[in-house]
Amino acid sequence: MTLAQFIDSQLTQIDSLDELKVTLVALRLLEQKQNEMASISEADLLAHPAIKDGLRFPSITLRPALQLTVARGTLIQARAGDSARYFRNDPAGQRAAAAFERAYANHSVPGTSADQALNAAGREIERLEGLEFY
């Protein structure tokens, strides 16, 4: 979901200031990456000044706000062990999130990081995009 789509379709439904801040920052960070595999983590969000300085107790209030964005369908959450990555809820983000989780499940070994799973997901998406369907 792009920022414009969010404003046009979901902004009127949000009544939580924390959810609004997290959604706007998340969509902006994802937009800046200009990549179909673009994803963000809680750490990425916590490092942003609008979250770090804009949420009351950000280390406590960020996760519930992120859960609201996922429940609303603005973002998709993909898990790799104990860590989570967040993707735009659009066809590219859905493919990337599914590939991320598949790559983690297929390559999970103790000590595998989310970044390693994300790299494996990128390779999986490239492989799938190379397949021709008729």
Side-chain angles (χ1 to χ4, degrees), residues 37-104:
M37 279 290 298
S39 70
I40 55 173
S41 66
E42 288 182 22
D44 297 330
L45 289 164
L46 283 171
H48 194 281
I51 300 299
K52 183 174 48 176
D53 301 329
L55 292 182
R56 297 170 321 278
F57 308 108
S59 60
I60 296 171
T61 57
L62 176 61
R63 189 164 291 160
L66 273 168
Q67 290 171 344
L68 289 171
T69 67
V70 170
R72 190 172 306 286
T74 308
L75 299 177
I76 300 170
Q77 180 187 57
R79 297 207 61 83
D82 292 336
S83 63
R85 302 292 298 184
Y86 296 89
F87 299 82
R88 271 187 223 94
N89 190 1
D90 61 12
Q94 292 165 5
R95 285 191 309 274
F100 176 75
E101 287 184 335
R102 259 194 324 277
Y104 180 77

Side-chain angles (χ1 to χ4, degrees), residues 17-35:
L17 184 57
D18 290 347
E19 179 187 359
L20 178 61
K21 288 178 182 180
V22 168
T23 300
L24 292 174
V25 170
L27 290 175
R28 179 65 178 140
L29 290 174
L30 290 166
E31 183 181 88
Q32 287 176 330
K33 292 189 177 194
Q34 297 178 349
N35 177 348

